[in-house]
Structures are given as C-alpha cells and as structure tokens.
Amino acid sequence: MRKIIVIALCALLCGTSAFALSKDQLTVGISQEFDYFHPHILNMVAGRYIQAMCIRALMTLDTKGKWQTMMIKEIPSIENGLAEFVEENGVKKIKAQYELKDNLKWGDGQPITNEDVKFSWEVGMHANVPVPERDIWNRIERIEIDPANPLKFTCYSPMRWDFNQLSRFYVIAKHLEEPVFKQHIEPAGSYEKNSLYITDVSNPGLYQGPYRISEAVAGSHVTLVPNEYFWGDAPYFQKIIFKIIPDTGT
C-alpha cells in the first residue's frame, strides 16, 4: 500500500504558539488516489481519512480502547438493561435497544432518523454491494424501528459477545441514497457506480460529520469545508485540501 504524506504533520503535533496554524486552510499532501467516498464501500486508506472527517458511525473506540457513543445516547448491554436474551422459534438471540441523540442532522438540514439507520443496514447486507467487511452487518439479523419515536430502534442479533460493537456501522442518508439504491441494485456492480457518493459527491446531504466534501477532482484534490449542521464541536479549519501528489519524491 502506498504511503500517505502529511505536509503539515509537525505543526499539527506541536502545541506551541510557534507552530500555530491558520484557521483559514490546511493543505495535506497525499500520494494515494481516492477510490470511493461511500462509507460502506471504500477500502483504501486515503478514503478512510476523508470518511473520518465527514461521516459518523453509531459508536467508536477511543485512543484508550474504550467504547464511546457518537450518534447514539447509550451503548446497550445486558448490564445496563438495554439488551436482553430472547428466544425466537427456539433460537436464542440478543435484543438490543438503541436511541439516536437529539437533533442530529444531515449536511442539508434534514433530520437523521431510525429510518436512515435501518436503510444503512439494508445496504450493507445486500449481496450486490461490495462491502470490504460484511461481518459488521452480520452482527444484526434485523432492525425494527419505533413508529412512535423516530430516534429509537431495536436490533436483533445472534448470540455474539460483540453484538454491540458497531464501530463501522456508518449511517447513510435514506432520503438521498434510497432512490439510487432501488434503481441500481441490479445487476451487481451497478449501485457503486451510480451512488451519489460518486455522481454527486459535493451534495451536502451525504455527510453528517464536522466536515463535508465541497469539491473532488480526480487525480488532483479533494476539498472539505465545515458542515454547518454538525451537532458536535465546530471544526478548527475553515477549509482542508487533500492534494494528490503521485510522485513521493516531489
């Protein structure tokens, strides 16, 4: 795998005023071309860098290896009572209850709901979607949404110790991607070529992280700008440019 070059790395790692970075723009040199921006499909390191800034998962591992929530209020477990053992048709399973945080929004201002969560799982589970790691989706057998509360949903999982470790359960926008998914899921290979993450990559509604993609030029650069609807802390830089430099000698 080709190495990634971060031009301003020393400044980023230094906390002294001598290396203070302008908030206007950060330019990052990268030697690897991007493949996909769709969080279910991308597999290259370059794409993961963009994903980390623009897309959020239900939860994540922190630097100390502890599970932290991102889009949900609490991680269900047997201990906290949000998960329980159930039996269906003689088969033991785990039933886990989740609730999204309040006021989550996509980059176009549309609310994020349990419908987005269920749709994201359906895309990840489909045989015609070339996800690099299907195990994350196989941890859930089905998702039931609460019709009375758009933030609540219930997952039924096989008897697995890691049923609630969903760090790569990335949520995608149903209101934008579902029409494309339905139209292009057949034949195999069609959806990833027609996804809005390919055909309309600068659409703000595709993103719910602190940044969103405003421009992507193949072989040249990708530009990120702050997502005004992000629910967390405002990002530091007003613009981040990933400049593709194929020749590492440069």
Side-chain angles (χ1 to χ4, degrees), residues 14-231:
C14 183
T16 64
S17 59
F19 286 93
L21 292 175
S22 167
K23 290 187 176 183
D24 295 335
Q25 179 174 309
L26 172 69
T27 301
V28 179
I30 191 168
S31 63
Q32 186 183 78
E33 179 67 272
F34 303 95
D35 50 354
Y36 294 99
F37 295 113
H38 193 303
H40 288 29
I41 301 172
L42 65 83
N43 193 32
M44 298 179 71
V45 174
R48 293 292 179 192
Y49 273 95
I50 299 297
Q51 175 181 276
M53 299 181 183
C54 299
I55 304 289
R56 286 292 176 262
L58 295 180
M59 61 189 72
T60 189
L61 276 171
D62 64 19
T63 56
K64 296 181 179 179
K66 301 294 184 181
W67 287 99
Q68 304 292 340
T69 63
M70 295 190 82
M71 299 183 69
I72 56 176
K73 292 182 178 180
E74 191 172 0
I75 299 175
S77 67
I78 301 298
E79 291 73 22
N80 64 21
L82 292 177
E84 61 179 323
F85 299 110
V86 297
E87 188 171 316
E88 294 183 336
N89 300 319
V91 179
K92 291 184 178 180
K93 301 177 181 180
I94 299 177
K95 175 183 176 182
Q97 300 178 58
Y98 294 81
E99 184 174 359
L100 294 170
K101 293 180 178 179
D102 299 323
N103 302 316
L104 301 186
K105 293 183 179 180
W106 294 103
D108 58 3
Q110 291 294 311
I112 300 174
T113 71
N114 51 19
E115 294 277 1
D116 295 305
V117 175
K118 185 175 182 179
F119 171 67
S120 302
W121 173 76
E122 291 171 346
V123 173
M125 284 293 291
H126 203 286
N128 286 352
V129 179
V131 296
E133 183 183 358
R134 203 172 300 277
D135 177 69
I136 189 68
W137 310 108
N138 286 332
R139 294 179 192 180
I140 300 173
E141 290 185 352
R142 76 176 189 273
I143 295 178
E144 294 180 352
I145 61 175
D146 186 339
N149 188 333
L151 302 182
K152 291 184 176 181
F153 58 97
T154 302
C155 296
Y156 290 80
S157 303
M159 294 289 289
R160 295 180 50 150
W161 65 273
D162 58 353
F163 74 95
N164 59 354
Q165 297 183 6
L166 305 176
S167 61
R168 291 199 175 186
F169 192 121
Y170 295 103
V171 182
I172 57 178
K174 179 179 179 179
H175 70 288
L176 295 177
E177 277 290 288
E178 186 180 45
V180 181
F181 180 72
K182 288 183 174 180
Q183 181 180 356
H184 295 285
I185 195 55
E186 300 287 350
S190 179
Y191 172 60
E192 61 263 33
K193 296 176 182 177
N194 292 279
S195 166
L196 296 183
Y197 287 97
I198 293 293
T199 64
D200 191 17
V201 69
S202 61
N203 189 323
L206 296 175
Y207 311 103
Q208 22 81 327
Y211 288 94
R212 61 178 177 84
I213 297 176
S214 64
E215 183 182 36
V217 179
S220 177
H221 66 277
V222 175
T223 302
L224 308 182
V225 296
N227 171 14
E228 62 179 305
Y229 292 102
F230 181 58
W231 60 87

